[in-house]
Amino acid sequence: MPASKKKSSPAFEESLDKLELIIEQLERDDLTLDSALLHFEDGIRLMRACDSHLKHAKGKLRELIKGENGEFITKILGENLESFTGGEQNDG
């Protein structure tokens, strides 16, 4: 397997599943402080990975919904652009 494939980040869904498991672990009463800190660090890393995936997907979506002249299409199937991009509409 190429080195670039080995270092790739896990899929969004996989990261989210791992994050949910970490949350379950952190909610337990029997964790040591050191173990809780390790879980917390892993959780922060996974949250950042999920955030990165979401930002990347949002960027792709914004590119896909641009009009022919580079302006953003404001309505798609009855939904406004703001619902897809979180309100960061480019007003031209």
Side-chain angles (χ1 to χ4, degrees), residues 17-36:
D17 288 343
K18 288 179 180 179
L19 187 56
E20 289 174 357
L21 290 173
I22 287 173
I23 291 169
E24 289 175 12
Q25 291 292 318
L26 286 172
E27 290 175 342
R28 292 179 30 195
D29 292 333
D30 61 343
L31 282 181
T32 65
L33 178 60
D34 289 336
S35 181

Side-chain angles (χ1 to χ4, degrees), residues 2-72:
S4 61
K5 283 289 187 187
K6 289 180 184 177
K7 294 282 185 178
S8 67
S9 61
F12 175 78
E13 293 79 7
E14 184 181 342
S15 295
L16 196 56
D17 288 343
K18 288 179 180 179
L19 187 56
E20 289 174 357
L21 290 173
I22 287 173
I23 291 169
E24 289 175 12
Q25 291 292 318
L26 286 172
E27 290 175 342
R28 292 179 30 195
D29 292 333
D30 61 343
L31 282 181
T32 65
L33 178 60
D34 289 336
S35 181
L37 284 172
L38 288 174
H39 284 304
F40 184 77
E41 288 173 3
D42 288 342
I44 294 297
R45 181 183 49 78
L46 288 167
M47 280 180 24
R48 289 179 178 153
C50 287
D51 184 58
S52 177
H53 281 288
L54 291 172
K55 286 178 180 175
H56 182 72
K58 182 178 175 181
K60 279 187 174 181
L61 180 62
R62 288 180 63 91
E63 287 298 315
L64 290 170
I65 58 179
K66 278 187 181 180
E68 289 179 12
N69 296 326
E71 79 282 0
F72 284 103

